[in-house]
Amino acid sequence: MKRILRESLDSVFSEGTHVFANTQREIAGDVGWHQHLGSDKIGIVATAMALIYYKDIAQLPCPKEEACIEFLKKTQQADGGWSFITNSKGISNVLATCWSIRALYKYEADSAIIEKAVSWLYSKKQKGDFGWSLFGTKSQTFPTCFCVMTLLEIGVKPENETLSSALTWLRNTVLQDGSWADSPDKPYQSLFHTALTILCLQKANITTDSILINKGLDWIEKKFKKEDFSAPCYECDLELMEERVGEDNIRVPYFHFTLPYVALVFLNANRDDKVVFKCVRLLVERNEGGSWPHPFIENKKIIPIWTLYDGMLAIKAFKERMQRDVSSTFFSDDFHDPIGNTIVYYKLYRKKIIWVRTCSPIRLTDKIGSPALKFLIVATIIAIIVYFALQHIVEIGQILSDESPSSIVVAIITSFIASVLYTVLFWLANWCIKWITEKE
C-alpha cells in the first residue's frame, strides 16, 4: 500500500466502534467489557478502557453508561485501589487503579472515590527511587509512565513533588543510546517502553526534556531504517510482571501494542512522516473487521481490547493531525468538505507523505462516473497522438518525394522511432488512467 485513503481510516474507525458496541456484556446485573472482547466475563480494566474509548476517541455516548460506571465504583477495594479480577488475588495494583481513575474522572463520577484512589496511588510510590511498580515493590518503566500520565490527565501539575521525582526517575533510567528498558535491572532496549516514556515526557511538556525526547526518537527512527517492522514480533511486546506481595507470588503477563505508540510520539513531535506512515499503514493493513487479532493467540475469535483501544487511539490522532494541517493550509478551520472530496496520504520521493484534498479528477468519478472520465482522458490523448501522427505522415511524404535511397532510410528510421514513442505514450496514458481511478 503506497497511500492511505481517508475512507480506509473511516472504515476501520466505524467498524471498531461497532465491535465495542457488540461486545458489551451484562452478567448478574453487572455491565461492562472483558479484555477478550465477546467473552462472557466482565473486567475492571476493559470496562474502564471502553468508557474512555467512547468519551475521548469515538466521542459517542457509551451504551449503558451509568451501569458501567457503577460497576467500577462497586469494585473499588477498601484501600482505595482496584485489582485485576482474575489474576491478582484481590490485591490492588496501580494499572487497574489508574484505568479506573481515568474513566471515573472523565465521566465526573463521585469525587470522594477518585480522591481515595489517588491517595492510594500516592502511597504506592517508591520511597527510594520514586517510581511505581505494579503492586508497589521495585519501580518499573510502564507502571511509572502510566501513573504519571494518569495524574497529569486529572490535573496534577508536573511541578508536583510526586510527579517531579517520578519524571526524574524516568530521565535517570534512559540507556546510553537514548532508549528505555522495561526496568533498570533489565537494561535491554525496548521499542514499546521507549515510545511510552517519550509519550509520558511529551505530556509533561517540560522544555528541558526536548533533548532526551529527540534522542529517543532518533533511536526509534534508526531501528525503523535497519529492521523490518512488518514482522509480527514488532507488533506486540509481552511484559511479564512478577512480584511478591506478602506471602503471595503474583505473575501477570501484560501485552503492549507497540505500533500505535510509535505513531503517537512521532505525531506529537511533528517529525519524520515516514515512520508515521509505516505504522499507520501496518495498522490499516492488519485490521480485520474493525479489530486487530491477538499476535500470540491463533484463535481469531479472541479480540483483545488493548489492541483495539490503542490502535484506534493512534488512528484518531493521525486523522486529527492531518485534518488540522490541511485546514490551516488550504481551508478555514470549520471546513466540512461538503462535496465529498477525497483526502489521500501518499508516499512519495524520499518516503515523505503529503496530505491531499482535491476537488479533483480523483473524486470527479463520483459526480460524472468513471467511464465518462476515462473516455475524456483517452479521447484527449488520442487526439494529441493523431495530431502528431498526421504531421509525421506529411513529413514522410515530403521525404519520399525526393526518391533518394538515403531519404527512404531516414523515413524508415524516423517511422520506427515514432512508433516506439507512441507505444510509450499509450503505456503512460494507461498507467495514468489506472492511477486516477484506483481506490486502494
Side-chain angles (χ1 to χ4, degrees):
M1 182 190 293
K2 293 184 178 180
R3 53 185 178 146
I4 301 172
L5 299 183
R6 184 178 64 175
E7 62 192 50
S8 299
L9 299 176
D10 290 343
S11 175
V12 168
F13 208 87
S14 62
E15 289 176 351
T17 301
H18 187 68
V19 170
F20 267 108
N22 286 343
T23 52
Q24 188 184 59
R25 293 290 181 264
E26 183 171 354
I27 301 172
D30 294 331
V31 178
W33 286 261
H34 186 259
Q35 65 164 317
H36 295 153
L37 292 171
S39 299
D40 290 327
K41 300 176 185 178
I42 297 175
I44 293 168
V45 172
T47 300
M49 272 188 182
L51 282 165
I52 296 169
Y53 173 82
Y54 275 102
K55 175 67 75 172
D56 279 359
I57 301 177
Q59 297 180 339
L60 294 170
C62 177
K64 301 181 181 179
E65 176 185 306
E66 292 183 3
C68 294
I69 293 171
E70 189 59 36
F71 170 73
L72 290 183
K73 288 180 179 179
K74 82 173 199 176
T75 51
Q76 187 178 31
Q77 302 285 320
D79 59 10
W82 277 264
S83 68
F84 298 138
I85 291 177
T86 55
N87 59 356
S88 66
K89 303 181 180 181
I91 300 171
S92 296
N93 67 79
V94 299
L95 297 180
T97 301
C98 282
W99 277 111
S100 299
I101 290 172
R102 291 178 63 203
L104 294 175
Y105 179 80
K106 289 181 183 298
Y107 284 85
E108 301 179 353
D110 190 340
S111 60
I113 292 176
I114 297 174
E115 288 172 6
K116 186 178 180 181
V118 171
S119 296
W120 179 87
L121 199 61
Y122 279 137
S123 73
K124 292 301 173 182
K125 188 167 181 287
Q126 302 304 297
K127 300 297 187 281
D129 55 22
F130 306 111
W132 275 274
S133 68
L134 185 60
F135 293 99
T137 55
K138 197 169 184 179
S139 295
Q140 299 162 302
T141 303
F142 174 49
T144 300
C145 287
F146 205 70
C147 289
V148 169
M149 290 191 291
T150 297
L151 293 172
L152 287 170
E153 194 168 309
I154 65 173
V156 180
K157 302 296 183 184
E159 297 78 20
N160 173 281
E161 183 181 352
T162 300
L163 284 190
S164 178
S165 57
L167 288 166
T168 299
W169 182 84
L170 288 172
R171 296 183 193 108
N172 292 339
T173 55
V174 66
L175 300 178
Q176 190 173 4
D177 58 8
S179 65
W180 276 266
D182 62 355
S183 65
D185 59 347
K186 300 177 184 176
Y188 62 88
Q189 304 155 324
S190 166
L191 180 61
F192 169 77
H193 291 90
T194 300
L196 182 70
T197 307
I198 292 172
L199 182 64
C200 181
L201 295 174
Q202 287 174 334
K203 288 182 178 293
N205 195 26
I206 298 173
T207 306
T208 53
D209 286 335
S210 60
I211 296 175
L212 203 59
I213 289 170
N214 286 326
K215 189 175 181 180
L217 292 172
D218 289 341
W219 179 82
I220 295 175
E221 189 176 356
K222 288 176 183 176
K223 285 191 73 68
F224 264 69
K225 288 179 179 177
K226 291 179 181 178
E227 303 181 38
D228 179 14
F229 276 79
S230 62
C233 61
Y234 289 105
E235 263 190 291
C236 178
D237 186 300
L238 171 59
E239 183 173 358
L240 293 174
M241 299 183 179
E242 188 170 7
E243 297 185 39
R244 188 162 188 81
V245 183
E247 296 182 356
D248 296 313
N249 192 40
I250 302 176
R251 191 182 194 193
V252 178
Y254 214 95
F255 296 96
H256 307 299
F257 199 13
T258 304
L259 291 175
Y261 286 91
V262 174
L264 284 170
V265 295
F266 275 88
L267 282 168
N268 289 343
N270 197 25
R271 61 170 271 181
D272 204 339
D273 285 335
K274 64 186 175 185
V275 174
V276 176
F277 182 90
K278 189 176 289 188
C279 291
V280 176
R281 183 195 66 198
L282 288 171
L283 288 173
V284 172
E285 287 177 347
R286 291 174 175 172
N287 186 272
E288 298 179 8
S291 62
W292 289 269
H294 199 302
F296 294 164
I297 298 178
E298 292 184 2
N299 187 353
K300 299 300 181 182
K301 293 181 180 180
I302 295 178
I303 303 172
I305 192 171
W306 46 271
T307 60
L308 182 55
Y309 178 91
D310 291 346
M312 292 301 180
L313 184 65
I315 285 178
K316 180 176 185 287
F318 177 82
K319 288 178 63 178
E320 286 181 347
R321 226 291 297 283
M322 295 307 108
Q323 179 64 43
R324 184 173 68 248
D325 288 354
V326 169
S327 295
S328 62
T329 304
F330 300 107
F331 301 99
S332 62
D333 290 338
D334 58 349
F335 183 81
H336 294 299
D337 195 14
I339 62 172
N341 294 329
T342 296
I343 292 180
V344 187
Y345 228 22
Y346 290 103
K347 184 166 65 172
L348 297 177
Y349 178 60
R350 293 182 180 173
K351 297 185 179 179
K352 294 293 182 182
I353 16 185
I354 296 177
W355 186 258
V356 181
R357 183 191 288 271
T358 68
C359 300
S360 68
I362 297 175
R363 203 58 174 177
L364 283 176
T365 56
D366 288 350
K367 304 299 178 184
I368 64 175
S370 179
L373 178 62
K374 286 182 179 180
F375 175 79
L376 179 63
I377 294 171
V378 172
T380 301
I381 293 172
I382 289 175
I384 293 170
I385 292 173
V386 169
Y387 172 77
F388 285 108
L390 288 173
Q391 279 194 333
H392 183 66
I393 290 170
V394 171
E395 291 172 1
I396 291 174
Q398 292 174 346
I399 293 171
L400 291 175
S401 65
D402 295 340
E403 297 182 352
S404 65
S406 60
S407 298
I408 295 173
V409 171
V410 170
I412 293 171
I413 293 173
T414 54
S415 297
F416 175 77
I417 294 173
S419 299
V420 172
L421 289 174
Y422 297 151
T423 302
V424 171
L425 189 54
F426 270 115
W427 179 85
L428 287 173
N430 186 55
W431 181 87
C432 288
I433 292 169
K434 287 182 179 179
W435 182 83
I436 288 172
T437 56
E438 72 176 348
K439 288 291 184 183
E440 199 74 52

